């Protein structure tokens, strides 16, 4: 019996402090724009609205051009060992900052301890995951070609939706034979809904039911519910590929056409899983995972050979008492990352 198959129900559940998303994401105008892009980013993109966030690397809070001189000025001491940090839905790269120490991030710590130059991505999380995957693959190809020193290794770290974008980009690069993929030997997925998120599936079902009621008011509510962006809807069943959603009927709820996308061989994959309660086997953790992503989804344990990610148990770490937003800036998570990076490179 695995830990996820057993249940241990103590008398009480310890309180879990909740970090408000605004605080975890930096607050202010940029936080608001991040949320806006997460909710209606696909509409902003289609309408060529200036609030739509383009996919770019950010350095010291500013967009970074992918030319050799700009990269040299931004990373004058880099030795070609890079770590890309990809944020999740409706936030920006500021989500990686520790709430009480904004200058401290996993990226800064990994650079200090292991010499990996941190690269922070910002992107429109309202777009389809597959669209962002294609854009990220192109961006990384440009980055590797323009970086001022040869890229020896590129580590990919994705938080929440960001992990799905990373997986999509790797699939695109593998099919296209892009050069950057050969530099990737390690990938880390933090709180990633590899098997989808039930919260989005519930939203889809509610919208569908409301549309079946022949009433103008319920139709209006359904319209509002359907404002969820393409990116949010993709999270329901973890749609990583364009063929997963092209031609899908909006009138069929929970329509799952997600094709299996195995983790690429030749890369050491590591998964961080959050659990609300202090024990992984607590009923609350088993039912709700980290509050957003179920344990089985974040651990890639589908229970079948088609969708199971088949990650070695030693490469999966459950962090008890950690809700979804805290996973992007938790000392225990970094301690695990450091432990993995101390292992011999694959």
């Amino acid at each position: 019996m695995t830990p996820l198959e057993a249940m241990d129900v103590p008398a009480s559940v310890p309180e879990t402090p909740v970090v408000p998303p605004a605080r975890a994401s930096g607050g202010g105008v940029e936080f608001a724009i991040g949320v806006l892009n997460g909710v209606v980013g696909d509409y902003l993109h289609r309408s060529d609205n200036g609030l739509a966030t383009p996919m770019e690397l950010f350095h010291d809070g500013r967009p970074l051009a992918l030319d050799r001189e700009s990269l040299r000025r931004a990373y004058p001491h880099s030795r070609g060992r890079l770590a890309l940090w990809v944020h999740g839905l409706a936030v920006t790269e500021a989500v990686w900052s520790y709430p009480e120490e904004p200058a401290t991030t996993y990226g800064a710590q990994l650079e200090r301890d292991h010499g990996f130059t941190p690269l922070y991505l910002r992107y429109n999380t309202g777009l389809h995951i597959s669209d962002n995957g294609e854009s990220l693959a192109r961006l990384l190809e440009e980055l590797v070609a323009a970086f001022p020193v040869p890229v020896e290794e590129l580590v990919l770290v994705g938080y929440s939706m960001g992990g799905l974008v990373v997986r999509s980009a790797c699939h695109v690069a593998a099919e296209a034979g892009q050069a950057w993929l050969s530099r990737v030997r390690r990938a880390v997925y933090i709180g990633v809904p590899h098997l989808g998120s039930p919260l989005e599936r519930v939203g889809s079902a509610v919208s569908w039911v409301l549309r079946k009621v022949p009433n103008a008011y319920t139709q209006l509510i359904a319209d509002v519910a359907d404002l969820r962006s393409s990116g949010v809807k993709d999270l329901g069943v973890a749609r990583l590929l364009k063929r997963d959603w092209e031609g899908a009927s909006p009138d069929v709820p929970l329509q799952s056409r997600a094709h299996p996308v195995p983790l690429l061989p030749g890369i050491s994959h590591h998964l961080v899983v959050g659990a609300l309660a202090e024990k992984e086997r607590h009923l609350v953790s088993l039912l709700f995972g980290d509050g957003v992503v179920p344990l089985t989804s974040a651990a890639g344990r589908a229970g079948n050979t088609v969708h199971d990610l088949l990650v070695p148990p030693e490469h999966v770490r459950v962090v008890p008492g950690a809700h979804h937003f805290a996973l992007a800036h938790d000392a225990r998570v970094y301690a695990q990352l450091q432990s993995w990076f101390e292992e011999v490179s694959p």
Side-chain angles (χ1 to χ4, degrees), residues 3 11 15 21 82 85 100 136 167 188 198 201 216 238-239 285 312 317:
E15 290 188 8
L82 314 178
W85 301 85
E100 304 303 328
L136 179 56
R167 289 181 58 195
V188 180
R201 294 198 291 270
R239 299 186 299 200
S285 295
R317 166 69 195 279

Side-chain angles (χ1 to χ4, degrees), residues 286-306:
L286 291 172
L287 290 177
F288 302 107
D290 63 15
V292 175
V293 181
L295 291 177
T296 51
S297 186
R301 301 172 185 171
N304 62 68
T305 57
V306 176

Side-chain angles (χ1 to χ4, degrees), residues 205-222:
V206 169
S207 173
W208 180 80
V209 170
L210 289 174
R211 290 197 180 281
K212 298 304 177 183
V213 180
N215 181 285
Y217 293 103
T218 57
Q219 295 291 316
L220 177 60
I221 296 172

